[in-house]
Amino acid sequence: MGRQWRDGRGELVVHGNGGGPAVRVPLEIATSYRARTRGLLGRDSVEGAILLSPANSVHTFRMRMPIDVAYLDRDLRVIAVRTMRPGRLGMPRLRARHVVEAEAGVMAEWGVREGVLVEVTT
């Protein structure tokens, strides 16, 4: 059973943040080929994060800023989190079905780390 998201806006809810309340982050959802291809390219900043789905890898060619990248499995559990500088090609993650991108450093503040479950609301 696949996810039925569409391009648009939503919210990323990060569960398991040290036993505290869930963290809610504004989210841009990119599911069409065009929206996924554009991603964060050419932007100077992003408010919250962007979800690319389906996706199992990203690149930062033509990006203006370093980014945090969280790879999510089919259950929206974080497989890995990496910080990527501009001009890099990320390795594909075999179990990854979705990728969340945000400005470098913010995912640690939100509690996004390996093993954490996230939720996407629209």
Side-chain angles (χ1 to χ4, degrees):
M1 182 168 126
R3 309 263 178 209
Q4 298 299 317
W5 298 311
R6 291 196 169 147
D7 291 349
R9 299 232 170 249
E11 199 171 52
L12 180 72
V13 182
V14 182
H15 298 285
N17 189 18
V23 175
R24 296 180 173 277
V25 178
L27 183 69
E28 183 177 330
I29 301 170
T31 59
S32 68
Y33 175 78
R34 184 176 184 158
R36 288 191 324 263
T37 302
R38 173 148 164 75
L40 295 177
L41 297 178
R43 299 188 196 187
D44 292 322
S45 66
V46 60
E47 180 184 333
I50 183 170
L51 171 74
L52 307 175
S53 180
N56 68 356
S57 68
V58 296
H59 68 82
T60 57
F61 301 120
R62 296 187 344 209
M63 285 203 179
R64 299 178 180 172
M65 61 185 172
I67 61 171
D68 282 347
V69 179
Y71 298 89
L72 310 177
D73 68 10
R74 72 179 72 231
D75 299 320
L76 300 182
R77 188 166 302 279
V78 178
I79 297 171
V81 179
R82 299 289 181 261
T83 300
M84 295 177 63
R85 295 181 311 197
R88 302 287 185 222
L89 178 63
M91 295 296 294
R93 305 288 170 166
L94 296 179
R95 292 184 11 236
R97 299 294 180 266
H98 319 282
V99 173
V100 176
E101 298 178 341
E103 289 187 38
V106 298
M107 287 197 186
E109 295 173 17
W110 298 338
V112 177
R113 62 186 176 286
E114 188 175 332
V116 167
L117 188 64
V118 300
E119 179 183 353
V120 174
T121 61
T122 55

